[in-house]
Every structure is written in C-alpha cells, then in structure tokens.
Amino acid sequence: MDKTAARLGADATPTAPALLLRPWSQADAAELVELYRDEAMRRWTNSAVNDAAGAAQWIQDQQRGWETGRRFGFAIVESQPGGSEGQLAGHVVLKGVTPGASSAEVGYWTAAHARGRGVAPRALQALTDWAFTVFSRDGLTRLELLHQVDNTASCRVAQKSRYELATLLPAAPPAYPLAGHVHVRPRDL
C-alpha cells in the first residue's frame, strides 16, 4: 500500500454516513476555521486555528508530516451518495513513526456536528488497520493513544477501538496540567 497517497474508508452505520479519510488539502482551510470555533474542540486540542492564515499553516504542517514520513494526518470527511465528499467531520493522525521503532502514537478530534455518531471510533479503526498494514514491515507492533484523564469521550473511543488502558501519566504543567491516560493497541488484536 502506498503511504503517500492513502485514502481510507469506514463503512456507514444505520445513523451515520460512510467516512473517507484523506490527506488534508488547502481547500479545507475555510471549513477548518469554522470547526475550530467550537469551544470543546479548542479545549481538547493543543493547536489553535483562529483564521485563514492559521488554517493554512496547520494544513501545511499536516502536509509536511506526510513529506517527512513521520506524521500522517487525515481529514475525516463524510461520504455522500455517489461517492462525493460531504462536510469535514474530524481529523485522525498517526505520529511518531520511526523505522525500526515498535510503537507510534495515534490521535484524533471530531467536529461538533459529528460527535456521538461513531465517527472517531470508525476513523480510528481505519487508521489503526492502515498503520499496522503499512508499517509492520518497519517494526511497528504497538499503537498508543494519550488523553487527559477528564476526557471521558476519548476514553470511550479508545475502549470501542480496542485500545486498552495501560498506564496513568502524571501531570506536567503547563503543557499538560492534568494527569493523562495511555491506551495501547497491539498489532495482533
């Protein structure tokens, strides 16, 4: 599988459309600014996109990750009938990919309109399958998912995606003011 042109999919559910996961493009900038107006998302993410310039920079950072082969960020887009793209529903990322390293990290966020519809678990499962397929030859055997202890929604997503709680991280202010959870998913699950 070509990791530089990856397009992943997740099946529809009875209450939500199928998902397409694809690399971010500058055409997503205006919609990204709108998604970042959500206070809940701003609370749980460590990046701020306040305007068109900030969105362009954030997207450029995602693209640079693909170019370096160390960070693979995907826009999560709802699929429409006929295969066309609908609105952005979130972001999922594989990061810290290093040849010969046995572990890497995953992360995600969802747009306000997409929460509670299984977007994050379905996108995370598609990313997990892709990561283990593409990078197992490079030694990847374990994925880690980190979140603050008070982010109960992320805990539920981790559990639904078969990422088991492995350890508690101590707080490290100011960047990480609260303790965190580390969830782990081994390749052979």
Side-chain angles (χ1 to χ4, degrees):
M1 179 182 292
D2 181 5
K3 55 187 159 196
T4 62
R7 293 175 72 83
L8 313 175
D11 293 335
T13 69
T15 59
L19 303 173
L20 168 68
L21 283 63
R22 57 151 174 84
W24 286 88
S25 78
Q26 288 298 331
D28 298 320
E31 197 170 356
L32 183 63
V33 171
E34 288 304 312
L35 295 181
Y36 262 91
R37 294 191 194 289
D38 173 40
E39 288 301 319
M41 191 164 85
R42 286 168 137 345
R43 177 178 181 209
W44 299 119
T45 61
N46 58 4
S47 57
V49 174
N50 298 314
D51 54 25
Q57 182 61 55
W58 188 89
I59 291 168
Q60 185 178 11
D61 291 344
Q62 302 310 307
Q63 292 168 336
R64 190 173 306 111
W66 281 88
E67 291 165 6
T68 64
R70 295 192 40 87
R71 181 182 176 92
F72 301 91
F74 291 86
I76 305 168
V77 181
E78 294 180 343
S79 293
Q80 298 298 306
S84 64
E85 290 188 16
Q87 61 185 342
L88 284 170
H91 168 72
V92 66
V93 62
L94 173 67
K95 51 190 173 180
V97 178
T98 305
S102 62
S103 68
E105 184 181 342
V106 296
Y108 52 85
W109 52 257
T110 53
H113 70 83
R115 293 187 194 124
R117 298 183 8 210
V119 169
R122 290 185 294 142
L124 182 57
Q125 186 60 54
L127 178 73
T128 299
D129 293 345
W130 177 77
F132 284 139
T133 298
V134 172
F135 296 100
S136 63
R137 292 181 295 273
D138 294 335
L140 183 66
T141 60
R142 166 188 160 118
L143 293 173
E144 297 179 351
L145 184 157
L146 286 69
H147 67 81
Q148 281 187 188
V149 294
D150 61 337
N151 190 338
T152 56
S154 278
C155 234
R156 285 192 304 273
V157 168
Q159 292 164 349
K160 288 178 182 178
S161 304
R162 298 182 297 160
Y163 280 74
E164 297 298 323
L165 181 60
T167 190
L168 187 66
L169 293 173
Y176 303 102
L178 298 175
H181 285 170
V182 177
H183 295 264
V184 173
R185 171 89 182 262
R187 181 177 65 210
D188 298 329
L189 246 185

